[in-house]
Amino acid sequence: GQNIDQPTEMTATEGAIVQINCTYQTSGFNGLFWYQQHAGEAPTFLSYNVLDGLEEKGRFSSFLSRSKGYSYLLLKELQMKDSASYLCAASRGANNLFFGTGTRLTVIP
Amino acid sequence: ETGVTQTPRHLVMGMTNKKSLKCEQHLGHNAMYWYKQSAKKPLELMFVYNFKEQTENNSVPSRFSPECPNSSHLFLHLHTLQPEDSALYLCASSQAMDTGNTEAFFGQGTRLTVV
């Protein structure tokens, strides 16, 4: 089976840095995706980690440790528009993508 | 616009009705997916099609019947649904490779309400 855990809700202040953690357990693991989903909208791709380490893309960075089954998404210089749900998803096999429940991030002034 | 289009955006149906959800992708991808998103639950993978062939059925009840006539189109036929089937149904596509899939692109979803 597979299991993905991430916090349900987080709150952070505009301009600050926030880290959203994700732990996973799945057989045939290929890589770890992060998606952003605003209320009422489709999830949109943020990052994909296959190898251990940190991938940086502008204000967003994602980290993966395959041996620990752990990933995090780091958001810097938070903006109000970053308020959304952030979905962690493990890729398994050729084309299976399993999602966590998502972390609802609220950015406050 | 993500390149994946779903229709209708909203659907209200009775438990005895038969309806279909449609998904179309213009990205040239070879894999298409149906996901169910309920409140406070993870996105649940329902079906996976790879080159028009169904490769995954995650124990979905038979009242949900997928159809993939070609690599660009995916349908979800619905009949005798239950109120607990009310959810957001998301279609996605990706380029599946032996080493794993590329990122999935999602449609805007169909908000289904079963009354």
Side-chain angles (χ1 to χ4, degrees):
Chain A
Q2 53 279 328
N3 189 46
I4 299 178
D5 287 315
Q6 52 181 131
T8 305
E9 294 188 19
M10 297 182 73
T11 301
T13 306
E14 190 176 13
I17 299 173
V18 71
Q19 178 174 312
I20 303 174
N21 296 324
C22 171
T23 58
Y24 64 88
Q25 291 175 307
T26 183
S27 57
F29 176 78
N30 283 325
L32 199 292
F33 287 87
W34 283 95
Y35 282 81
Q36 180 191 60
Q37 186 177 24
H38 285 99
E41 297 184 12
T44 54
F45 169 78
L46 288 178
S47 68
Y48 180 43
N49 292 66
V50 176
L51 302 176
D52 285 357
L54 189 68
E55 296 274 347
E56 297 187 72
K57 191 184 294 185
R59 293 190 299 115
F60 292 7
S61 302
S62 57
F63 172 84
L64 177 66
S65 169
R66 297 176 72 105
S67 61
K68 295 181 179 178
Y70 168 70
S71 173
Y72 67 73
L73 180 69
L74 193 70
L75 292 78
K76 302 176 186 176
E77 301 170 16
L78 280 175
Q79 302 174 8
M80 298 301 290
K81 67 178 182 180
D82 296 330
S83 293
S85 288
Y86 291 86
L87 311 176
C88 171
S91 171
R92 188 188 77 170
N95 54 4
N96 289 352
L97 201 56
F98 291 93
F99 285 83
T101 53
T103 299
R104 183 179 299 178
L105 174 66
T106 302
V107 180
I108 58 176
Chain B
E1 175 58 51
T2 65
V4 181
T5 304
Q6 288 186 244
T7 54
R9 293 291 307 276
H10 301 273
L11 177 63
V12 179
M13 60 185 289
M15 289 188 283
T16 58
N17 290 160
K18 287 185 180 181
K19 297 286 184 182
S20 295
L21 310 184
K22 179 182 177 182
C23 176
E24 185 174 358
Q25 59 99 357
H26 310 277
L27 301 168
H29 288 160
N30 58 12
M32 295 187 77
Y33 314 76
W34 279 117
Y35 282 89
K36 175 183 177 183
Q37 188 173 37
S38 305
K40 302 189 185 302
K41 288 186 177 181
L43 270 171
E44 299 171 53
L45 180 63
M46 300 175 72
F47 300 104
V48 180
Y49 277 82
N50 200 355
F51 289 104
K52 302 187 301 177
E53 299 297 322
Q54 185 174 312
T55 56
E56 187 89 10
N57 176 341
N58 270 353
S59 302
V60 180
S62 59
R63 57 186 183 269
F64 295 91
S65 174
E67 178 191 0
C68 188
N70 55 61
S71 293
S72 299
H73 293 84
L74 185 65
F75 295 90
L76 188 63
H77 304 299
L78 316 171
H79 63 99
T80 59
L81 295 192
Q82 304 298 312
E84 59 264 30
D85 296 323
S86 298
L88 180 68
Y89 288 85
L90 288 162
C91 172
S93 71
S94 72
Q95 190 65 20
M97 300 178 291
D98 291 341
T99 53
N101 44 311
T102 61
E103 69 266 27
F105 289 82
F106 286 84
Q108 295 288 73
T110 295
R111 174 68 63 185
L112 174 68
T113 304
V114 181
V115 297

